[in-house]
Amino acid sequence: MGIAAELPEAFSERMKRLLGEEYEAFVQSYEKERTQGLRFNTLKSDLENERADCERLFGLRQIPWCREGFYYDEFTRPGKHPYHEAGVYYIQEPSAMAVVSLLDPQPGERVLDLCAAPGGKTTHAAERMKGEGLLISNEIHPARVKILSQNVERMGIMNAVVTNEDSASLRRFFPDYFDRIIVDAPCSGEGMFRKDEQARTEWSEENIRVCAARQQEILDNAAVMLRPGGRLVYSTCTFAPEEDEESVTAFLNRHEDYRLVELAEDELPEGFAGNISRGILKNEDNSMRKAIFRIWPHQTEGEGHFLALLERKSDCRSSEAKVREKKTAKPSVWRDRAGLQTVKKALKEILSGSEMFLEDIYDRLVLFGDQVYAVPEGCPALDGLRVLRPGIHLGTLKKNRLEPSHALALAIRPEMARHSLCLPSDSQEIMSYLKGQTLPVDSEYQGWILVCADRYSVGWGKASAGILKNHYPKGLRLV
């Protein structure tokens, strides 16, 4: 029995009414193989170089609405390749890549991803920001926020703060603060029916109503955090009008300081025109047609997705903004000056030849327990928030030495390290390293070595007496 026969009856009846003559094509799409996508990490290397490295491995085809995104041959299993461990790419559902393409965050901006786990849109936004500016990546669920933090680390992102808060808490902390906000809201998941059996079995009309109410709460809190003139993308992976255009309409009715951004064809992100629908649902408000977008599984290669681009009018200001002004402060500084000098000396030895990088982070070093971080430039004091990752984790301070972190390894390139060992990505040596095994090294040097798959860093080893002791994290090692 195919997936189409398992669709909830009430869902099918609603889609017949909404799609009319397109319904048959829509249902037939459930019997087709879903497409797989990966998005290259331009923080690691130039996009063209990354593509050249992976073209022969994964049979790539361009995803129209995302310049960094490509469909791959499902039999090539890029999640098992050393490049995945190096953060060269992020495996992501193709339709989901449209969200950041539409929002288009820029270097130097303040960006919030409000419902961020597992991290696809956060990492995409970070890449578009090119490491400049402040990215707050938030997830309310404790288990999911750990996965989010791991993906931020794997992709080598240095300017992100990962928080574990509800949207109301962030609202109190960040009124009128962000230039752009992503609200990829929790939803009923109808667009994922083809890939997610649980979404089909748990679907109900009552759950749609619950999700719609939750979405309104999240949007209301996000509305306070966007600065005047800033932009927000609201997205879901569902077809339910109650969670999509009706949710947007209800939000606009409550917030006169917001408007939908109606983009002309020549203003659309590259690849949107001709690939992403601009409103085909019956009885849809004509005023919304140029401001909302849908990806349909029967029209293109991707799962179901809804997107709306909103802007806060420039002549408004939140009554809560003064709270933000009071809380803005320099992050806590070191009390142990000797410890600070130990960290600086160790970093200079490990990252010899990276003076510009080091000078950039020296004034942003903070200590949480024995863990050393560099907070993003311009980051406010985070007191009172549950923070998992207050920036780039640099290492652990142990007595009079610094043990460099896995996050630091993934954030730098081979030429930035004092010593590096580049192993072929198809070699037994790199697989042995990823399994946690020691390796022989032809060097009298004793100390930290950056291990790479081809030219992409994957972790640290420590050389001693011709042996490279493995420091790849135990929880990440291949079985």
Side-chain angles (χ1 to χ4, degrees):
M1 182 171 63
I3 294 175
E6 300 175 1
L7 295 175
E9 183 178 353
F11 167 78
S12 297
E13 290 300 318
R14 184 236 290 156
M15 298 309 295
K16 286 179 184 178
R17 294 193 303 272
L18 293 175
L19 290 171
E21 61 185 19
E22 290 197 43
Y23 177 72
E24 287 304 320
F26 172 75
V27 170
Q28 290 173 14
S29 72
Y30 284 94
E31 306 308 325
K32 298 178 181 178
E33 290 293 328
R34 63 185 182 91
T35 52
Q36 315 279 342
L38 60 79
R39 195 194 69 251
F40 284 121
N41 180 7
T42 52
L43 297 174
K44 291 282 182 177
S45 180
D46 179 80
L47 177 58
E48 290 306 311
N49 288 331
E50 291 176 329
R51 180 173 180 173
D53 287 342
C54 297
E55 193 89 55
R56 62 180 176 79
L57 296 170
F58 309 127
L60 303 178
R61 292 183 296 113
Q62 182 76 54
I63 294 173
W65 49 83
C66 178
R67 61 176 178 260
E68 307 93 344
F70 294 83
Y71 300 107
Y72 66 84
D73 186 334
E74 64 176 312
F75 301 107
T76 59
R77 305 180 72 187
K80 301 293 184 182
H81 196 277
Y83 284 171
H84 182 266
E85 307 310 311
V88 177
Y89 46 76
Y90 187 100
I91 295 176
Q92 187 178 19
E93 199 285 307
S95 297
M97 299 181 193
V99 174
V100 172
S101 293
L102 180 60
L103 185 63
D104 195 25
Q106 298 296 309
E109 292 184 330
R110 296 169 174 173
V111 179
L112 169 65
D113 188 356
L114 191 50
C115 313
K121 298 171 183 66
T122 277
T123 55
H124 195 182
E127 292 151 21
R128 289 290 178 99
M129 294 169 73
K130 299 181 180 179
E132 301 174 18
L134 173 64
L135 173 61
I136 303 292
S137 183
N138 181 72
E139 174 58 43
I140 189 172
H141 298 288
R144 287 170 56 81
V145 77
K146 292 178 182 178
I147 297 171
L148 168 64
S149 184
Q150 290 169 359
N151 280 321
V152 167
E153 176 176 281
R154 182 171 63 87
M155 303 302 276
I157 297 169
M158 298 188 65
N159 62 326
V161 172
V162 179
T163 58
N164 176 212
E165 288 289 353
D166 57 79
S167 59
S169 296
L170 291 178
R171 167 184 175 154
R172 291 189 292 271
F173 203 87
F174 291 113
D176 284 12
Y177 191 77
F178 295 102
D179 299 290
R180 302 184 197 244
I181 296 178
I182 303 166
V183 179
D184 186 47
C187 68
S188 59
E190 294 175 356
M192 297 293 107
F193 279 178
R194 181 163 56 173
K195 62 174 287 189
D196 189 349
E197 181 181 357
Q198 185 176 0
R200 300 195 301 270
T201 58
E202 292 183 354
W203 181 91
S204 71
E205 292 177 309
E206 174 59 26
N207 189 40
I208 289 175
R209 290 188 286 271
V210 170
C211 288
R214 185 188 302 125
Q215 291 154 5
Q216 290 303 301
E217 178 185 357
I218 293 171
L219 275 172
D220 285 345
N221 290 326
V224 174
M225 292 187 276
L226 193 67
R227 68 162 178 80
R231 288 188 170 184
L232 179 154
V233 165
Y234 172 71
S235 65
T236 73
C237 55
T238 191
F239 305 117
E242 299 94 324
E243 301 178 70
D244 294 342
E245 62 275 338
E246 291 179 20
S247 187
V248 171
T249 299
F251 171 79
L252 292 173
N253 287 339
R254 293 193 305 277
H255 296 272
E256 295 182 355
D257 54 338
Y258 274 80
R259 70 177 185 91
L260 277 167
V261 180
E262 298 186 12
L263 297 175
E265 290 294 306
D266 60 355
E267 296 176 306
L268 292 174
E270 182 180 356
F272 267 54
N275 293 291
I276 297 181
S277 172
R278 301 187 76 173
I280 65 169
L281 292 184
K282 292 184 177 180
N283 302 318
E284 189 175 284
D285 183 351
N286 285 329
S287 68
M288 301 178 72
R289 285 184 177 272
K290 291 185 178 180
I292 61 174
F293 304 87
R294 292 187 187 83
I295 300 176
W296 295 93
H298 65 290
Q299 292 183 344
T300 190
E301 294 181 273
E303 305 305 312
H305 228 79
F306 171 90
L307 306 91
L309 182 62
L310 300 110
E311 184 176 79
R312 193 173 185 195
K313 298 174 184 177
S314 58
D315 57 348
C316 64
R317 180 176 169 83
S318 170
S319 61
E320 302 173 40
K322 292 182 179 179
V323 177
R324 172 71 257 145
E325 292 168 2
K326 291 178 182 178
K327 284 185 174 288
T328 301
K330 187 176 180 180
S332 57
V333 295
W334 291 71
R335 293 184 177 87
D336 179 6
R337 305 304 295 177
L340 176 59
Q341 293 307 313
T342 296
V343 170
K344 286 186 174 182
K345 179 181 178 182
L347 287 174
K348 190 171 183 179
E349 291 175 351
I350 296 168
L351 303 178
S352 179
S354 304
E355 285 78 10
M356 290 183 62
F357 172 78
L358 293 172
E359 288 297 326
D360 180 56
I361 66 173
Y362 277 163
D363 291 337
R364 297 186 278 115
L365 296 175
V366 295
L367 188 66
F368 289 82
D370 59 356
Q371 303 303 310
V372 182
Y373 288 84
V375 299
E377 187 173 358
C379 181
L382 301 170
D383 301 339
L385 291 180
R386 290 192 296 271
V387 179
L388 264 76
R389 184 174 292 270
I392 176 70
H393 183 212
L394 298 175
T396 303
L397 192 59
K398 296 184 175 181
K399 296 182 180 179
N400 295 321
R401 61 188 177 86
L402 177 76
E403 184 171 300
S405 70
H406 186 57
L408 177 60
L410 291 170
I412 63 175
R413 301 182 183 188
E415 61 270 20
M416 297 174 67
R418 180 180 178 88
H419 292 276
S420 61
L421 174 64
C422 294
L423 303 170
S425 61
D426 58 356
S427 68
Q428 182 57 48
E429 287 82 0
I430 192 64
M431 297 308 295
S432 295
Y433 173 77
L434 294 174
K435 292 177 181 178
Q437 299 172 10
T438 59
L439 296 173
V441 286
D442 297 327
S443 173
E444 295 182 0
Y445 169 72
Q446 300 192 52
W448 295 103
I449 294 179
L450 184 68
V451 181
C452 307
D454 296 333
R455 53 197 174 88
Y456 302 108
S457 58
V458 292
W460 295 107
K462 195 169 187 181
S464 177
I467 297 296
L468 187 71
K469 296 180 180 179
N470 198 304
H471 282 261
Y472 193 68
K474 291 182 179 179
L476 300 178
R477 292 177 182 177
L478 303 181
V479 178

